[in-house]
Amino acid sequence: MPRHPLSSILTRAGVGMRTPPTIGLPPKRRPLPKWSAAVITAMVIALGTISGASHAEDVNISNRRNSERTSFTNEEIRDGFFKIAFDAELQLGRRVGRIRKFDEPIRVFVFDQADPKRRAEIAAIIDDIRAHVGHLDLAMTDDLEAANLVVMLVRKQDLHRTIRFVYGRDKASQIRRSLNPQCLSGFGKDRHYRIRHAEVILPVDASDFIFYDCAYEELLQALGPINDDSSVPWTMFNDNVQMGFFDVYDQYILNILYDPRIRPGMTKAEVDKLLPEILPAAREWVGNTNALRRAQAGGDSSMELGARCTCPAAMQGNPVTLE
């Protein structure tokens, strides 16, 4: 089997990977599309020497956990789901009004080369998302060939250059004019609205709060719910809301989306018919998983894009998604 293009690019750049890519794909699995040269080049840009200490939860995140609202009516959940799951903050193509989601195992490759602290934090976030969403086969991989979601950890000074390499100069200019993002996620879907690959670009040298807020929002948006809506005050997918953790409201959104009865390409009307059956299951899962976590903690959480913006001082760090 030929080597993945990343191997030769890294060799020419004089860089070795921490864990060599494995050879081949799991048996009986549909081969995943090769990552584009632009994405691989952007990964090389991400190389840098940035060190960090072990993580203790940021006080801003702890304060938000303590004040989080956790009880919602069915209508509040339904309203947010339709606003967040059916649109895109920046639509580089025609609007579709359909469900977009992965319908296969999601394997996450983190290109971090120089910062094991942040890679470990991404791995913990991936574990947290998987633990809180039923029917979601989500895991890390050290094999780029097997990955369909790539996380690029870049220095803040390299963010816009990386976006330009991944999406091209024209689209990068459009993204920058619309948002001037601090971080970004995007995915590509097939004609059946199945997500086939996704990319997340995060600022490795941001503060812990900004890094976690970006990482949770962009990783979750890369799974399908890529719209932001300022009329939904309980979600991280809102320009005026910062979280830094996987909040209960958004657990409902993701559990509805990844219920097996919700299929890629479904319309709002088709989903609306199923919600009376799906909501009780989502409530049970979210309630049980959060009760278990609380008990453990006490000893007895076309291309379509989402981003966080660089906003004016009064809005610094607020999440923004692209249409």
Side-chain angles (χ1 to χ4, degrees):
M1 179 178 293
R3 298 170 68 201
H4 194 280
L6 178 60
S7 301
S8 58
I9 290 175
L10 290 176
T11 299
R12 291 197 300 273
V15 177
M17 297 184 70
R18 181 177 300 109
T19 304
T22 57
I23 302 299
L25 294 170
K28 298 183 180 179
R29 184 174 175 189
R30 180 185 59 79
L32 293 167
K34 298 288 186 182
W35 291 99
S36 70
V39 170
I40 294 168
T41 302
M43 293 179 190
V44 176
I45 292 173
L47 296 177
T49 304
I50 307 169
S51 60
S54 60
H55 171 74
E57 183 167 273
D58 184 272
V59 65
N60 291 301
I61 299 174
S62 297
N63 289 340
R64 283 161 171 77
R65 284 189 192 275
N66 293 336
S67 60
E68 175 192 12
R69 179 180 168 184
T70 59
S71 178
F72 304 95
T73 67
N74 285 349
E75 184 54 33
E76 286 171 336
I77 296 170
R78 175 189 176 279
D79 178 64
F81 182 82
F82 282 117
K83 288 175 177 175
I84 292 163
F86 280 93
D87 227 326
E89 201 178 356
L90 180 61
Q91 180 79 47
L92 301 182
R94 66 184 181 88
R95 292 187 179 275
V96 294
R98 303 267 184 165
I99 287 290
R100 298 140 303 173
K101 62 185 282 190
F102 284 95
D103 70 341
E104 61 189 353
I106 305 162
R107 294 297 174 259
V108 183
F109 183 94
V110 177
F111 193 83
D112 68 316
Q113 188 64 33
D115 194 353
K117 172 200 173 188
R118 290 304 194 200
R119 186 189 189 283
E121 290 168 350
I122 292 295
I125 290 169
I126 292 296
D127 286 345
D128 188 40
I129 293 172
R130 183 182 63 242
H132 284 96
V133 182
H135 310 291
L136 181 64
D137 187 348
L138 176 70
M140 299 280 285
T141 182
D142 289 317
D143 180 5
L144 181 60
E145 292 274 3
N148 46 5
L149 197 166
V150 164
V151 177
M152 288 166 270
L153 302 180
V154 305
R155 290 168 294 190
K156 288 184 286 186
Q157 68 187 46
D158 292 325
L159 177 70
H160 291 293
R161 187 157 60 111
T162 305
I163 293 171
R164 189 168 63 249
F165 271 102
V166 173
Y167 299 107
R169 187 175 300 275
D170 291 343
K171 289 178 181 176
S173 296
Q174 182 181 353
I175 291 167
R176 190 163 189 171
R177 285 195 306 270
S178 300
L179 300 166
N180 197 19
Q182 288 181 313
C183 47
L184 193 75
S185 60
F187 59 68
K189 61 188 183 300
D190 65 16
R191 63 189 182 90
H192 301 293
Y193 305 98
R194 300 173 299 186
I195 299 175
R196 284 299 178 236
H197 64 83
E199 306 84 37
V200 170
I201 307 171
L202 300 175
V204 68
D205 51 346
S207 68
D208 277 350
F209 178 64
I210 294 299
F211 180 80
Y212 272 79
D213 191 43
C214 272
Y216 270 105
E217 179 175 355
E218 304 308 337
L219 283 165
L220 290 170
Q221 288 190 316
L223 299 178
I226 205 161
N227 194 39
D228 264 11
D229 194 298
S230 60
S231 71
V232 187
W234 314 287
T235 177
M236 71 179 74
F237 310 129
N238 179 329
D239 293 355
N240 303 310
V241 175
Q242 294 172 285
M243 294 289 189
F245 64 98
F246 194 9
D247 58 290
V248 167
Y249 187 83
D250 291 319
Q251 291 176 36
Y252 284 124
I253 300 299
L254 269 294
N255 274 283
I256 293 170
L257 182 62
Y258 276 88
D259 187 289
R261 290 165 286 191
I262 301 295
R263 299 186 304 278
M266 278 187 165
T267 64
K268 290 183 179 180
E270 290 171 328
V271 170
D272 206 24
K273 290 179 182 178
L274 294 174
L275 278 183
E277 304 171 24
I278 291 172
L279 268 170
R283 285 192 177 280
E284 182 177 9
W285 177 270
V286 171
N288 289 343
T289 54
N290 283 285
L292 178 61
R293 287 298 179 92
R294 285 193 296 270
Q296 290 173 338
D300 64 44
S301 185
S302 77
M303 182 63 58
E304 298 175 40
L305 303 169
R308 238 164 64 85
C309 70
T310 302
C311 303
M315 296 176 59
Q316 194 71 33
N318 289 343
V320 171
T321 46
L322 311 166
E323 279 188 9

